[in-house]
Amino acid sequence: MKILSQSFFIKIVAILLFILLLLAGTNMFQTRLVMEKLFTEQQEKRGLSIANMLATQASNLILINNYYDLHELVKNTQQSNDDVRYAFVVGVNGELLAHSFQNHFPAELLSANIPEVPSHYQVTELSTEEGVIRDIVVPIFEGRLGTVHIGLSNKSLQAVLNSTTKKMLFYTLAAVLVGIMLTMYLTNRLTKPIRELVRVTSAITAGDFTQRAVVHSGDELGKLGLAFNSMTESLQKLVAELNQKEEAMVHLLQKVIVAQEEERKRIARELHDETGQTLTSLMMGLKCLADNCTGNSSECQIEDMRRVVKDTLGRIHSLAVELRPSILDDMGLIAALEKYIADYRQTHQIDIDFHVVQEISERILREIEIPVYRIVQEALTNIAKYSQAQNVSVIITRKSNVLELIIEDDGIGFEVDVLMNGNASNNKLGLYGMRERAILVGGTFTIESSPGLGTTIYVRIPLVER
């Protein structure tokens, strides 16, 4: 029902308005019935009074057989009373003695109302073309001289009832309007604390814990508002403590990642400088030994050892680059990704489409370059290990206030919810690491994947200062 979806204010107003109209309608109906009954009784009493007066006057005329004056008496009685539709006198043997009709007398009236007891009056309602007629019969001289019939029309009664009903309707409508205004005023006062609680609840839902409900009364709703304010204060303190703990945790995590990057940089430098130089010296010594070797290569095997050292030196160099590419510090994110993707394409034989859209040519902040580089690095590593993809697309869109990164592959895909909610694994830790790096710089990280439909990673990082 539509009324159930309306506000509490409208519901209360509708209910009170319905009750008010029901009471007003019931009161009018009941009052009209009482008035109709009262008017009918008064009309019957008046009709009996007229009939008795006519019977008293007609008795003398009947005794002296003066039917002309009797006829005039009947006509004058009908003409002098507006609600008397007709009057006639019936003799003791049932013969018509006089009547007030101008033309012919309706013969059916003689038998329409015959008193069961001749010495008592009787009232009968007759349905005619003019409406309801109350036929009142009164005996003349206890019925020994006949009866007098008076027909009272219902029109005057209905006119009075209708006029009175219109007045009642007018006053009732005026009272209903006043009641509606009073109902709306009281309902507004009643629902104001509820609306205040809704306002504060909406503000809290939006994250504003400083709002408080304004309490104007000491009733149950006022006590509810005070309790709600107390709950909001406690909630605000709890949220503040959680925010402090979260900020501390984020700050600690940022320090851990910074320390991790510094350690990567140190290890990469040691691998490149110390270990690389040592292996280079070893390789040069082996070359000298190979040049002075008198036996053949199969016997000396020095050249093979030199090649092993050379390969090891290459792998150490690659590992140092992966740990901390110097090009990232020197030339920035885009150049570092181009170099990494070119090496990745050659190493894993996977077709990668790298596309960059830049609205500005200035270099990205170093605090953002490193997380984005690590996210791409981790994503491409996972693709090589697990996805079985043949084609990969990396798209970077840089605007004035945001950097967007999309990594998409056509691999086997996976169920995101199952993987993220399942047991810990290297792949899951890698996804968590990518997401945490994005969140630490104020960005968002989203994964979309389905079995057999590949995987898409969306990263969005604001470039404005935080």
Side-chain angles (χ1 to χ4, degrees):
M1 297 176 63
K2 292 184 178 180
I3 188 63
L4 297 179
S5 61
Q6 300 298 324
S7 64
F8 188 61
F9 175 80
I10 295 179
K11 289 179 181 178
I12 293 182
V13 170
I15 292 173
L16 293 179
L17 181 60
F18 173 77
I19 294 175
L20 188 62
L21 292 176
L22 181 62
L23 291 176
T26 303
N27 182 57
M28 283 191 59
F29 178 75
Q30 191 71 23
T31 303
R32 182 180 173 89
L33 289 180
V34 172
M35 289 176 57
E36 186 174 6
K37 182 179 179 181
L38 180 62
F39 287 174
T40 301
E41 292 177 353
Q42 294 297 324
Q43 188 184 48
E44 288 182 358
K45 290 180 179 179
R46 183 168 176 275
L48 284 173
S49 176
I50 294 173
N52 287 324
M53 185 180 297
L54 179 60
T56 302
Q57 295 176 356
S59 62
N60 296 326
L61 297 176
I62 293 174
L63 289 174
I64 62 175
N65 295 323
N66 188 354
Y67 296 108
Y68 176 81
D69 290 341
L70 179 62
H71 180 73
E72 292 297 323
L73 176 62
V74 170
K75 287 181 63 177
N76 291 333
T77 301
Q78 188 269 330
Q79 293 176 356
S80 59
N81 296 279
D82 295 335
D83 53 348
V84 176
R85 181 63 184 81
Y86 61 82
F88 64 90
V89 179
V90 180
V92 66
N93 296 321
E95 71 278 13
L96 180 63
L97 300 181
H99 65 83
S100 62
F101 291 96
Q102 295 181 358
N103 298 323
H104 64 281
F105 176 82
E108 59 271 14
L109 283 179
L110 292 175
S111 59
N113 186 15
I114 300 176
E116 296 179 359
V117 180
S119 60
H120 291 77
Y121 76 93
Q122 182 171 297
V123 180
T124 302
E125 288 188 355
L126 305 178
S127 298
T128 66
E129 296 178 354
E130 299 180 1
V132 178
I133 300 293
R134 287 182 176 83
D135 188 272
I136 302 176
V137 57
V138 174
I140 302 174
F141 200 63
E142 297 182 355
R144 283 179 280 182
L145 296 179
T147 57
V148 170
H149 291 255
I150 297 294
L152 296 178
S153 174
N154 200 30
K155 289 184 178 181
S156 60
L157 174 62
Q158 291 298 324
V160 173
L161 282 175
N162 292 336
S163 176
T164 306
T165 303
K166 289 180 181 180
K167 293 180 180 179
M168 288 180 57
L169 181 61
F170 174 77
Y171 292 122
T172 301
L173 289 177
V176 168
L177 290 177
V178 174
I180 291 175
M181 290 188 290
L182 184 61
T183 298
M184 295 183 67
Y185 172 75
L186 294 177
T187 304
N188 181 64
R189 293 293 301 271
L190 178 64
T191 58
K192 186 175 181 179
I194 300 176
R195 294 196 304 273
E196 185 68 13
L197 291 177
V198 171
R199 182 188 65 81
V200 176
T201 303
S202 300
I204 293 175
T205 303
D208 184 6
F209 294 92
T210 61
Q211 297 293 325
R212 297 292 183 271
V214 180
V215 179
H216 297 283
S217 62
D219 56 6
E220 289 78 1
L221 290 176
K223 294 178 180 179
L224 177 61
L226 294 175
F228 190 84
N229 289 339
S230 177
M231 182 193 68
T232 304
E233 292 176 359
S234 301
L235 186 60
Q236 184 180 11
K237 294 180 181 178
L238 178 61
V239 171
E241 293 177 358
L242 291 176
N243 288 336
Q244 291 178 355
K245 292 181 180 179
E246 184 178 359
E247 289 177 359
M249 184 177 64
V250 171
H251 183 65
L252 179 62
L253 186 57
Q254 286 176 339
K255 287 187 175 181
V256 170
I257 292 179
V258 171
Q260 185 186 53
E261 290 295 331
E262 292 297 327
E263 185 66 15
R264 283 173 176 262
K265 187 175 181 180
R266 185 188 66 81
I267 294 174
R269 186 183 301 112
E270 290 182 357
L271 287 175
H272 182 271
D273 295 341
E274 299 180 7
T275 307
Q277 291 178 4
T278 301
L279 290 177
T280 301
S281 299
L282 179 61
M283 187 173 64
M284 293 177 63
L286 290 174
K287 188 176 187 307
C288 292
L289 290 176
D291 294 338
N292 298 325
C293 183
T294 57
N296 55 32
S297 59
S298 61
E299 293 176 352
C300 190
Q301 296 182 350
I302 294 177
E303 185 64 28
D304 293 338
M305 293 175 63
R306 192 178 69 84
R307 284 195 296 269
V308 171
V309 173
K310 183 179 180 180
D311 294 340
T312 303
L313 182 61
R315 286 194 294 270
I316 289 176
H317 177 73
S318 299
L319 180 60
V321 172
E322 289 186 5
L323 285 173
R324 182 69 175 197
S326 59
I327 192 175
L328 181 62
D329 296 325
D330 298 336
M331 301 185 66
L333 175 65
I334 304 302
L337 287 178
E338 289 176 347
K339 178 66 170 60
Y340 178 78
I341 289 174
D343 295 339
Y344 182 91
R345 186 186 295 115
Q346 184 177 2
T347 302
H348 299 286
Q349 300 299 316
I350 297 177
D351 186 15
I352 299 182
D353 179 22
F354 182 52
H355 185 64
V356 179
V357 178
Q358 295 193 82
E359 292 184 357
I360 54 177
S361 58
E362 296 178 0
R363 183 168 173 177
I364 303 174
L365 294 176
R366 180 175 176 272
E367 291 79 4
I368 297 178
E369 285 184 337
I370 295 176
V372 174
Y373 181 85
R374 295 302 180 195
I375 290 172
V376 175
Q377 188 180 43
E378 183 66 32
L380 294 180
T381 301
N382 287 341
I383 290 173
K385 288 183 179 180
Y386 309 108
S387 72
Q388 303 178 21
Q390 298 298 321
N391 299 280
V392 180
S393 176
V394 179
I395 301 173
I396 293 180
T397 302
R398 182 189 174 190
K399 301 178 182 179
S400 60
N401 59 349
V402 69
L403 184 141
E404 296 178 351
L405 170 65
I406 301 176
I407 305 173
E408 187 175 9
D409 68 72
D410 60 354
I412 60 175
F414 58 92
E415 291 287 351
V416 178
D417 294 337
V418 174
L419 180 63
M420 299 301 291
N421 297 327
N423 295 327
S425 63
N426 291 333
N427 194 19
K428 179 180 177 182
L429 293 176
L431 295 177
Y432 276 138
M434 288 188 286
R435 184 173 66 181
E436 289 175 356
R437 288 181 183 275
I439 293 175
L440 283 176
V441 291
T444 58
F445 179 85
T446 307
I447 303 177
E448 293 182 0
S449 182
S450 297
L453 298 178
T455 303
T456 303
I457 296 175
Y458 299 94
V459 180
R460 194 172 189 274
I461 300 175
L463 298 179
V464 295
E465 295 184 1
R466 296 176 294 109

